[in-house]
Amino acid sequence: MLPDQIIEPDTLRTDDGRVSVSIRIPWYRALPLSSVSQVGLDIDGHQVPNESIVWRTAHGERYALDELPPRHDKWWFVLDSAVLEGDLPPLAEADEHEVHVVIGLYIPYVPAADGAPLVLEQDRKTMKLEAAA
Amino acid sequence: MTATTAALGTPIQGVTLYSLTRFWHSRQMTFPELVREVARRELGPGLEIVGFQSIRDFPRVDENFVREFRDLLDETGLVPTALGANADAGLRRDRMLTDDELVEYMKPQIDVARRLGFPIVRVQYSVTPDDMERLLPVAEAASVTLGMEIHAHHSPRHPTMQALLERYEKLGSPHLGFIPDWGSTMSQVPRSLLEKYRRREIAPELIAEVDKYWNSKHGAGGLTDEEQQRQLEEFADLARSYGADDIAFELAINATSLFGHGEVSEWLDILPWAVHTHGKFYEIDSAGEDPSVPARELLDLYVKNGYSRTISTEWEGFHWNDWENAFDIIAKQQALLRDATEQSGSRMIVDAAEARAVRGWR
């Protein structure tokens, strides 16, 4: 649902070897962070290593991806951005870069028999990479 | 109750803000702006919201929100119908919530309905008949009615819903009921989804196969859980066989959990227990008709069986349809519902005072 809304335009930033992009929930209602089943971020086809990714909430909290599953006490509200931040892959010099984000979600009121996520959405957008001031 | 002896029903028009998700999610409109626009365009008088969508920190709701919401209702004249609660049994990754935990999870949501003035709380199928019985005194104390949503892949004849019906008949309480979602009884895959696939340049042969496959499963009533699982895999395989891996997952989920195969006549089983309705639709064609949800047939059944409760227009086409304005398409569906009701010899109630009087709401 709403995959076109995932990547927020013009939010690609780099600072000291790290890269970040702002994202929105591809769902209509707030979900607990424990609902986030899968995250993928690549830039110009270069994967940002998952183990380097930090999930930053709108409230300034920071979670490694493997810290999300137990957080059924923390919510991603439908109007709030989250930020994915990870190690900057080696990018060729270019005016603009293609950002690709994959988000998988468990939907807590549709418990799947085999534990499979119910939502798997992706978005691609092209934008400038802005260095931190 | 039979069609020949019951007085004709006069359903009450309304809308759920869920239909307007794109305006909300994209931050184009605030909550008060959405409510005011619903009133300005006369899409009420009924107003439904989903707690976890519209209210930050739900079900923790402060008094400011309660006061602002009630002021907004006074200002617009809209009538609160149902508050969408969620039965998040799959909240945790390590295990499902226990029945005790799920019951506790529902209680504060029910209390929000009371505070905001919603007479009905939508609940979902993870709430078992036993859970429902345990929540009955909570609903009574809050003066609200719990409505179990019957949503695809479920239909009224699904064993889960039949078990609940049996319990309702035993308990006989006006605080328990069902909320039919018309997506349970569709007539074909939405044309707008096929249009979206064409815009995405999906192979025309695959688009035709999707339509054909769904139709081939139609006519035998709603799916069992096992049939749903099997069709989920078959739809995904179908997409992959055309190399359309990127749509395989969403196609399979949509086709098996949104587009229900139930027969319209199945609603008769539970209609005496229907306390509210999700008037689900995906599209209205250029003739003003709904190609995928049999609205006229549904309204005819509702009217002839004396249904005089609320219907929330619920546009779900926004999942893929980003080229039409939600407010406009809602108005078109409501025009169709009004016309269908008149064709069946009755009318829809669109006046707030009359709606309150018919329902006995203050």
Side-chain angles (χ1 to χ4, degrees):
Chain A
M1 187 188 296
L2 308 168
D4 50 298
Q5 299 292 312
I6 295 175
I7 300 172
E8 295 198 271
D10 302 324
T11 58
L12 189 65
R13 305 273 183 277
T14 179
D15 186 10
D16 198 20
R18 301 280 282 174
V19 65
S20 66
V21 68
S22 189
I23 61 166
R24 300 289 309 283
I25 194 169
W27 199 243
Y28 69 91
R29 57 159 280 209
L31 292 175
L33 294 185
S34 55
S35 284
V36 178
S37 67
Q38 190 181 333
V39 174
L41 169 61
D42 64 66
I43 301 164
D44 297 338
H46 300 281
Q47 198 189 351
V48 174
N50 263 24
E51 60 275 15
S52 77
I53 293 180
V54 171
W55 179 287
R56 285 161 39 192
T57 72
H59 310 290
E61 296 150 325
R62 300 169 63 90
Y63 300 100
L65 294 185
D66 62 5
E67 291 173 323
L68 294 175
R71 298 323 300 247
H72 49 265
D73 57 336
K74 297 287 180 182
W75 292 80
W76 188 9
F77 190 56
V78 65
L79 296 183
D80 286 346
S81 305
V83 174
L84 296 180
E85 178 199 305
D87 289 347
L88 179 67
L91 301 180
E93 280 290 324
D95 242 15
E96 297 204 307
H97 301 274
E98 188 194 67
V99 182
H100 176 221
V101 172
V102 177
I103 297 285
L105 297 172
Y106 295 107
I107 300 306
Y109 57 86
V110 192
D114 55 358
L118 209 76
V119 172
L120 188 60
E121 299 285 10
Q122 53 183 311
D123 187 18
R124 277 176 210 280
K125 289 196 178 83
T126 299
M127 61 191 76
K128 286 187 166 36
L129 174 64
E130 311 241 350
Chain B
M1 173 187 304
T2 67
T4 47
T5 56
L8 294 182
T10 50
I12 299 162
Q13 178 176 284
V15 69
T16 167
L17 293 193
Y18 173 78
S19 307
L20 302 162
T21 291
R22 275 189 184 267
F23 284 104
W24 172 242
H25 184 285
S26 64
R27 304 168 180 152
Q28 288 175 77
M29 295 177 79
T30 64
F31 180 74
E33 285 169 350
L34 287 171
V35 174
R36 289 188 180 112
E37 188 64 5
V38 162
R40 192 186 72 77
R41 290 183 179 237
E42 301 182 343
L43 305 177
L47 177 72
E48 174 173 359
I49 69 173
V50 174
F52 280 106
Q53 171 169 68
S54 293
I55 308 174
R56 186 180 287 279
D57 296 329
F58 182 83
R60 287 206 315 268
V61 178
D62 64 28
E63 275 309 306
N64 281 337
F65 183 88
V66 174
R67 196 169 50 247
E68 283 168 18
F69 183 68
R70 287 183 173 269
D71 286 350
L72 201 50
L73 294 177
D74 287 344
E75 175 198 320
T76 57
L78 294 174
V79 180
T81 56
L83 174 70
N86 284 111
D88 291 334
L91 188 73
R92 303 174 61 111
R93 289 281 61 76
D94 53 344
R95 60 174 176 80
M96 298 287 284
L97 295 192
T98 64
D99 283 314
D100 286 352
E101 287 171 333
L102 187 58
V103 166
E104 290 305 313
Y105 191 80
M106 302 312 292
K107 283 180 182 174
Q109 301 186 63
I110 293 168
D111 196 53
V112 172
R114 175 189 66 79
R115 292 167 66 207
L116 295 178
F118 286 95
I120 296 158
V121 178
R122 181 283 307 270
V123 300
Q124 297 168 305
Y125 68 94
S126 291
V127 175
T128 65
D130 284 348
D131 297 341
M132 209 69 168
E133 190 166 343
R134 290 170 65 186
L135 288 169
L136 176 55
V138 180
E140 286 169 344
S143 297
V144 301
T145 294
L146 306 180
M148 173 66 66
E149 182 170 14
I150 304 179
H151 185 288
H153 73 290
H154 296 123
S155 70
R157 296 268 162 86
H158 190 281
T160 299
M161 299 304 159
Q162 289 289 318
L164 210 51
L165 176 60
E166 198 176 305
R167 188 66 62 98
Y168 287 175
E169 286 171 343
K170 184 188 133 205
L171 296 171
S173 169
H175 291 278
L176 299 175
F178 287 108
I179 299 180
D181 181 299
W182 290 347
S184 286
T185 53
M186 288 179 62
S187 50
Q188 62 176 350
V189 171
R191 303 298 91 181
S192 62
L193 179 61
L194 305 182
E195 168 62 19
K196 180 68 174 191
Y197 287 157
R198 280 190 284 274
R199 289 173 185 225
R200 285 175 62 174
E201 298 180 344
I202 301 297
E205 298 80 9
L206 171 57
I207 297 173
E209 284 294 329
V210 166
D211 208 21
K212 203 168 111 190
Y213 180 83
W214 192 91
N215 290 339
S216 77
K217 301 296 177 190
H218 199 59
L223 304 185
T224 63
D225 297 350
E226 295 73 27
E227 284 166 339
Q228 185 207 19
Q229 191 57 40
R230 189 162 59 245
Q231 291 184 22
L232 191 102
E233 288 157 18
E234 287 174 4
F235 264 110
D237 287 345
L238 178 64
R240 288 193 200 99
S241 74
Y242 282 86
D245 293 40
D246 55 334
I247 67 159
F249 192 76
E250 60 168 71
L251 168 67
I253 295 283
N254 283 343
T256 61
S257 46
L258 294 183
F259 315 146
H261 288 285
E263 304 283 345
V264 169
S265 60
E266 287 184 47
W267 294 120
L268 279 174
D269 280 20
I270 58 89
L271 207 62
W273 291 95
V275 294
H276 176 61
T277 290
H278 283 167
K280 171 70 55 64
F281 78 112
Y282 290 94
E283 57 206 350
I284 299 296
D285 68 17
S286 55
E289 300 294 329
D290 186 330
S292 46
V293 174
R296 290 187 183 278
E297 207 183 325
L298 286 158
L299 259 305
D300 192 56
L301 180 141
Y302 271 48
V303 164
K304 290 186 173 150
N305 289 280
Y307 182 94
S308 297
R309 293 173 179 266
T310 42
I311 297 178
S312 275
T313 286
E314 187 178 84
W315 185 52
E316 196 153 59
F318 73 82
H319 284 209
W320 53 81
N321 182 334
D322 55 5
W323 62 88
E324 279 183 279
N325 178 293
F327 287 104
D328 293 345
I329 198 166
I330 289 165
K332 286 182 194 172
Q333 189 248 19
Q334 291 184 340
L336 169 61
L337 301 191
R338 289 194 301 272
D339 184 65
T341 312
E342 283 160 24
Q343 295 292 318
S344 297
S346 185
R347 66 190 175 89
M348 298 261 313
I349 291 173
V350 296
D351 177 72
E354 189 183 6
R356 288 181 194 278
V358 164
R359 295 302 331 132
W361 296 337
R362 54 152 202 88

